[in-house]
Amino acid sequence: MKFIWGKKEFTLMIIPGANRQTVRIKLPHSSLYVVPSVIILVLTGFCVTIYLMNTTFHQTTSTMQQSFDGQERQLVDQITLKNNELEQLQNNLIDLSQQADEFKVKLEEIKKLEHVIQLMSETDGTSKKSGALPSGMASRPNPDVGGAEVPVTSQEVTTLVSSTKQDLTSLVGEINTVLVNLNASEVKLKEAEQLRTITPTLWPTVTHSITSGFGLRKDPFTLKPSMHAGIDLDGELNDAVYVTAAGKVIEAGYDDEHGNHIIVDHTRGLQTEYMHLNKMLVKRGESVTKGQQIGLMGTTGRSTGTHLHYEVHKNGVQIDPSPYLINDRKDDH
Ligand SMILES: [Zn+2]
């Protein structure tokens, strides 16, 4: 290659070899300024472009970094929140488990109560096994707490969930059993209460003084041996006379032998009779409650003085009332 200077132009000669034709390129002088200028402009533009790209890249990187930082903070916050929620759930589970234990203790107390109720309602004094207490279920004392803090593991939580679930399922079953037993006990208690109400267990007088018992004795009028079919209770004229069980007045009248007398039917074949009354306070057909005052003590009919002749009839036969006289009226109301 060779440059040949002219007046307004210069020639660029390219000589490829000895046997080949020389290439001549004529260029104007101005190209000496134009070409470097173009090259400089191109380089400058290239540099500016690179600079701008670099700046944009940094800005984009910075923006992305800020965005990543923000997202990371959000994720950390969310993880912290979830951890707190998980911890709270674990605490709730532990509380629930403890409550299940306490509930179990209470259930055992209810079972004991149910057992007592069942015993109370057994009229024959024998106990069925359905209310028996399981062994080893006594309430436990509240233990003292303390010690090092050890984080709970997911396995421990899973085990606690499983055991709590089993406990609660078991408790529901036991509660259903207790409810069935309690309902049965309630029926028995009502039956026992009904039986107590219609059984003549009260003293019919204020005094508990028996002046003549049930059985053979000398008749006070004829002095001959005779059957005394009731008991005589001492008292003052117009002392209160109480009906000894709930029932219905089936007779309230007067005859020469019984004087003013009242017969009360208590169902189940039991009746009681109150004789020699000075005054009757109830009428035939009237229902009476246990312990209600039905008359005033007197000496009407075949009587030698103020007293109450009291009889208990079982299936129409007079029996000794003494074994029935268990409660005072004030004890029963
Ligand atoms: Zn008598």
Side-chain angles (χ1 to χ4, degrees), residues 154-194:
S154 60
Q155 179 60 41
E156 286 171 336
V157 171
T158 305
T159 305
L160 187 59
V161 168
S162 177
S163 67
T164 303
K165 201 173 171 182
Q166 283 178 359
D167 281 352
L168 288 175
T169 305
S170 171
L171 281 173
V172 168
E174 288 188 48
I175 286 169
N176 285 335
T177 304
V178 167
L179 283 176
V180 168
N181 290 340
L182 278 176
N183 284 335
S185 297
E186 186 185 11
V187 171
K188 285 181 185 174
L189 272 178
K190 283 181 178 172
E191 287 175 355
E193 173 62 18
Q194 173 65 12

Side-chain angles (χ1 to χ4, degrees), residues 113-114 116-123 181-197:
L113 184 63
E114 184 243 330
V116 171
I117 290 171
Q118 195 168 41
L119 285 176
M120 286 170 64
S121 65
E122 293 289 345
T123 53
N181 290 340
L182 278 176
N183 284 335
S185 297
E186 186 185 11
V187 171
K188 285 181 185 174
L189 272 178
K190 283 181 178 172
E191 287 175 355
E193 173 62 18
Q194 173 65 12
L195 196 60
R196 189 194 68 81
T197 304

Side-chain angles (χ1 to χ4, degrees), residues 212-213 217 228-233 275-276 302 307-311:
S212 183
R217 69 169 185 179
H228 189 220
I231 58 172
D232 292 339
L233 290 151
M275 297 182 194
H276 312 307
R302 193 169 181 268
H307 76 288
L308 173 72
H309 178 94
Y310 172 63
E311 290 184 4

Side-chain angles (χ1 to χ4, degrees), residues 215-226:
L216 291 174
R217 69 169 185 179
K218 271 188 190 174
D219 185 275
F221 286 94
T222 65
L223 298 180
K224 291 179 178 176
S226 66

